[in-house]
Structures are given as structure tokens and as C-alpha cells.
Amino acid sequence: MPIALLALAIGAFGIGTTEFVIMGLLPEVAAEYGVSIPTAGLLVTGYALGVVAGAPVMTALGTRISRKRMLMLLMALFIAGNLLSAAAPVFGLMLAGRVVASLAHGAFFGIGSVIAAATAAPGRQAAALSLMFTGLTLANVIGVPLGTLLGQTAGWRTVFVAVAALGVAGLAGIAALVPDLPEPQGVRIRHELAAFRSPQVVLAMAMTVLGFGGVFAAITYIAPMMTDVAGYPSSAITWLMVLFGLGMVAGNLVGGKFADTRPMPMLYVALTALAAVLALFTFTAHGKAGAAATIFLIGALGFATVPPLQKRILDHASAAPTMASAMNIGAFNLGNALAAWLGGLTIAAGLGLTSPNWVGAALAGGALVLAVLSGALERRAPAGGGAGASAEPPAPVPAGH
């Protein structure tokens, strides 16, 4: 595997840490600014919405410069956003810093996916993608717990300074290790948008929304579920989330291994098992051992879908994949927000703290239906008539245009 993946993984680690660490620091942030916990929760919502909005905008802005240079600019934006959050004297500026940092998220993973696949050996593209995303999964195992501990002992502002330092390391790594690949001649934003005419691209993004949305329907409410239903002390939540992160690491590596050779069977198995495990969680959540095992499986099965889905995006938008790849990252955050909202509705309706698990099972089941449909369409497509044809390579244009 190319050493450039190390730089991408470092950047992914920093991005994953800043996205999730805020959840463990909300009480401290709310207390310092004198706002309520729900108001402080806007730091989570604002980041997610910034990812969804920033993915297409930042990708569009980067169509006229090299992918390496755009990655460096995105990491600089990420650093600036985290430093603004660390120094913000009022809550509004703290929120602005979170949004600024989030704008780099989708485009970083979108462009990084294209570079990882382009620099990998033939037949190893999905494995390369999974190694880049390992940085994101390790953030939940190492970065978030350590960041939470650092914030509780040295102050939450220190956490965002440390994350900015990770961004500096990622920026230096990209500058030194990522090759400056030539851009496809004549590719413009209209060619990137043409990829969305492919049914397979749209289906893959919809599977991302529903599949990983199913994971977050349950995980969003893991703290009250584990303390009030399973009987864990609140101090155990951090380590349960580490267990979830370890599952994500394992699932990511397994998904990457099989996505290069048997991507659709990988999706069928992972989504079927994910729907079943989420439904089972309604019952295993009543015991400590069963709940812990199920949390690990949810992380593993959920993230096992990431490499094959991201690779399908790259395969079916092969002529101009950057926008579609970045938008698929935005689809993760859209699914997370949608699932958290739906899960909250079931709790508010009095169906109990385990009711979001049924929402998650239904969403994962919907993703499985879409996967079966995608596979059927692919089998019926004529040879060479894959969806990548919907974004045909543009004709070469003279240099300077």
C-alpha cells in the first residue's frame, strides 16, 4: 500500500476526533458559555449540517486546482476552524468554528478516496479506501476517549488545540507524501454533476443514508439505554463507545478486504446481519454482557458497508468521481441526523429507550432492499454499460481552459 495513505489516515483521524469528541464535552462547554445542554447540542448539529453543505461546495471550488493542493487547503481550513473553536470568547464564535472545520470534512474524504484508489495497486482499491478510513475509526477508539479525558482534566479548549495540531501533522504529511496526480483533462463541475445521472450512484448514496443511519438510530441514544436499561454506571459509557469503535475498525478492515473481490455479497451479508443485530439489541440491551457484545457487532457490521459503498461510487462515477465521492460522505451525516431524529420521535412517543433499535433495524432493512435492487440492475446491464458511462470522460480541451 502506498505511504500516501498514512497522511490521509492522519487527516482522517483528526477529522473523526473533532467530529465526535464534542459529545463528551458538552457539559463543560455549556457551563463555560452559560447555555443549556440542548443549545450546546447545536455544536453537534451544526457540524453535521456543515458536512452535508460543505461536501458539494468545497468539491466544486476545488475542480480547477490539483487534488493534492485542494487537500492541503482543506486541512488548513480544518486547522483554522479548530483554533477558532479553541479561542472563541462567546458561544456563537465557537459554533462558527465548528462549522468552518466541518466544511473540510466531506470534500477531504471525497478527494482522499479518489487519491487512495488512484495510487493503489489494481484490485486493491477498496483495501486502500479502508486503510484511509481506519484513521476515522481509530478516532473513536483512541482520539475521542483521550480527548474527553484531556478536556475534563486540562479544559475543553485544550482539546481543540490538540486537534488543530493533528491537522498540522496531516497537512505536513499530505505535502510530503501525497503525489501530485495529474487532473483528468477538461473535467469541470458539470462533468462531476453528470455522475448523479447514474442509478447506481444514487442507489449507493441511498444505501449509505439508510445503512449507517440504522447504526446511529441506536448509538445516538446509547448512554440512556445503557444506564437506564442495561444497568451500567455512567462512567462505563466511554468504554462502551471504545468497544463500538473497535467494532468499526474491525468491520472497516473486513469490508475493505472483500469489497475488492465480492462487493455485493459483502453488502448483502453486512446489511442483513446489521438489521438482525439492531432488532436483537432491543432484547440484549437488558443485560450488560449481551449489550456490550451487540454494541461491538453494530459497529463492525455498520462500518463493513463503508468500503464497498465508497468503491461503488468511484466505480460508477469513474470519469469524474470527486463530487459523488464527497457527497457520499455527506450522506453519512444526513443519515445520522435523520436516524437520530426518528429515534427521538419513538422515545418521545413513549415507546421506551430501546425503541430506536427498531428504527435502526428498519433503516438497515431498507438499505438491504436497495442493495438487492442495485445488484439486480447491475446483472441486467449490458457488458460495458455500467453506470460509469453516465459520466463519460469529457473530450480533451486545450491547456489553459
Side-chain angles (χ1 to χ4, degrees):
M1 283 296 168
I3 196 172
L5 293 176
L6 175 62
L8 297 176
I10 292 171
F13 182 84
I15 289 173
T17 300
T18 204
E19 179 180 16
F20 294 111
V21 75
I22 189 63
M23 298 176 187
L25 300 175
L26 285 183
E28 289 80 7
V29 174
E32 176 157 343
Y33 288 123
V35 299
S36 66
I37 291 293
T39 298
L42 292 174
L43 298 172
V44 178
T45 305
Y47 188 96
L49 294 177
V51 174
V52 175
V57 172
M58 301 307 296
T59 303
L61 291 176
T63 55
R64 292 182 176 272
I65 63 175
S66 73
R67 287 167 179 155
K68 175 176 179 174
R69 184 174 298 179
M70 189 61 193
L71 276 182
M72 294 173 65
L73 290 174
L74 289 170
M75 289 309 300
L77 188 65
F78 173 80
I79 295 165
N82 281 286
L83 289 177
L84 177 57
S85 292
V90 295
F91 180 77
L93 281 178
M94 169 67 172
L95 179 59
R98 291 284 293 167
V99 173
V100 169
S102 74
L103 294 177
H105 185 129
F108 177 89
F109 282 108
I111 297 171
S113 294
V114 175
I115 291 176
T119 55
R124 296 284 291 163
Q125 287 89 352
L129 290 173
S130 73
L131 287 178
M132 181 187 71
F133 279 105
T134 295
L136 178 63
T137 58
L138 285 176
N140 287 274
V141 179
I142 301 172
V144 172
L146 288 181
T148 301
L149 181 62
L150 178 64
Q152 292 171 345
T153 55
W156 63 265
R157 294 181 186 274
T158 309
V159 177
F160 290 97
V161 174
V163 172
L166 285 173
V168 172
L171 175 59
I174 291 167
L177 303 177
V178 172
D180 203 357
L181 301 175
E183 288 292 290
Q185 286 295 306
V187 171
R188 296 292 180 261
I189 187 61
R190 67 181 182 275
H191 304 122
E192 297 281 356
L193 294 174
F196 296 97
R197 295 202 299 264
S198 163
Q200 293 289 10
V201 169
V202 175
L203 282 170
M205 293 179 66
M207 282 185 266
T208 295
V209 171
L210 296 179
F212 218 75
V215 171
F216 265 75
I219 295 302
T220 298
Y221 302 99
I222 197 70
M225 198 187 308
M226 290 299 95
T227 55
D228 295 1
V229 179
Y232 277 106
S234 58
S235 59
I237 301 303
T238 297
W239 303 112
L240 287 171
M241 291 307 295
V242 169
L243 191 62
F244 173 70
L246 287 171
M248 292 171 67
V249 173
N252 176 54
L253 295 176
V254 172
K257 177 178 177 62
F258 287 99
D260 276 319
T261 54
R262 299 178 64 81
M264 292 311 296
M266 182 74 240
L267 284 175
Y268 298 150
V269 171
L271 290 171
T272 300
L274 178 61
V277 167
L278 284 166
L280 186 64
F281 196 26
T282 305
F283 307 101
T284 60
H286 292 272
K288 292 181 180 179
T294 309
I295 288 170
F296 175 85
L297 288 174
I298 291 172
L301 294 168
F303 228 85
T305 67
V306 173
L309 284 173
Q310 193 73 358
K311 186 172 185 295
R312 283 187 73 76
I313 293 287
L314 296 177
D315 288 345
H316 289 281
S318 56
T322 311
M323 176 70 77
S325 178
M327 287 296 290
N328 195 45
I329 303 303
F332 281 105
N333 286 268
L334 179 60
N336 297 350
L338 174 65
W341 174 67
L342 291 173
L345 288 182
T346 65
I347 294 174
L351 299 178
L353 290 172
T354 61
S355 59
N357 299 330
W358 289 112
V359 174
L363 291 173
L368 176 61
V369 171
L370 294 181
V372 172
L373 174 60
S374 176
L377 290 176
E378 195 164 62
R379 287 190 297 272
R380 287 164 47 188
S390 65
E392 293 182 7
V397 295
H401 284 247

